[in-house]
Amino acid sequence: MLQYNVSLENKTIFVTGAAGFIGSNLVKRIFTDVKEVKVVGIDNMNDYYDVNIKKERLQQIKEQVENLDTQVKEPFVFIEGNIADKPLIDKIFADYKPAVVVNLAAQAGVRYSITNPGAYIESNLVGFYNILEACRHNEVEHLVYASSSSVYGSNKKVPYSTDDKVDNPVSLYAATKKSNELMAHAYSKLYNIPSTGLRFFTVYGPAGRPDMAYFGFTNKLREGKTIQIFNYGHCKRDFTFVDDIVEGVVRIMQHAPEKQNGEDGLPIPPYKVYNIGNNSPENLLDFVTILQEELIAAKVLPADYDFEAHKELVAMQPGDVPVTYADTTPLEQDFGFKPATPLRQGLRAFAQWYAKYYGTC
């Protein structure tokens, strides 16, 4: 196992996408684990999905911070803004001098990238470039950034390994995430910036993203609408509970790839990429069955709900892949951690949150 070489205590951590699903959970976890820490968060609060969920996440963070026993003045600073705004990013780095940067801000979603490609170029490419440039000109100990399992495209070999060649993206979203990895590698090589990319696999959980299948299915079933199950139910997904994702991020934040020079005297890029996935793909039909059972148990749906009448098996969508499956061996070897939350446990937590947030039937 690797030894931690980055202390988070008495540091400022910059989290982009702080009102997002993973970002908000990460901020709460940082304040739970680290006693003396300052977190600066940024989010553009766009309406890609219900902004009220983002506001609710921020409110939870603020309530947690109010009860902190800390000597840090203003432990949480939230800035509503866009990482594609370079003067704003430069000002944040100048004002707060973050030691650790976690870039989670991105335009997410495979299908949305087909109809709104500009949003992906702005946030995922221009925005990430601004973060890299700011890290270049400031003393940043570690840059951690979100990549995606989407980079594997239609890779036939499973489980997906970070050693696999991933040069054939099947969506613009995937292309931007692969580009992030390439850009980070170049900056690590040129400017000796320690960076770690994280390929997340189908993250789910309470207060998640409404555009994700489990959330969208729930909304439609509750409204009596028909849900479409793609590839006639033959898709498999490596569903990963958000707490497992955050556990992996927190561990990885605390070990920056070591700086060292090669025989030519130039930096060997202090650069790593890890998969964070459950290492256990679930068939989409099984997933939907478990979701239905947990929604009934949480009283989101009535006990006699006619599920078969609200289910339609359809062909694969453009940009989708039939299976995602993470090889997490390097994560286990380096950090002693492997995501392991069972799907039923995770969906139960989601169903209970949904019932509390939206009400029961």
Side-chain angles (χ1 to χ4, degrees), residues 88-98 138:
L88 175 60
I89 295 301
D90 290 343
K91 187 176 189 306
I92 290 170
F93 274 75
D95 290 348
Y96 298 103
K97 297 177 172 51
N138 293 272

Side-chain angles (χ1 to χ4, degrees), residues 208-229:
R209 280 176 27 213
D211 64 312
M212 296 293 283
Y214 69 100
F215 207 133
F217 285 173
T218 301
N219 287 339
K220 287 185 175 181
L221 291 171
R222 191 165 177 259
E223 295 166 6
K225 297 178 180 178
T226 299
I227 64 171
Q228 292 184 326
I229 302 175

Side-chain angles (χ1 to χ4, degrees), residues 119-130:
Y120 292 77
I121 301 303
E122 178 185 270
S123 182
N124 301 8
L125 296 184
V126 176
F128 190 57
Y129 159 75
N130 291 339

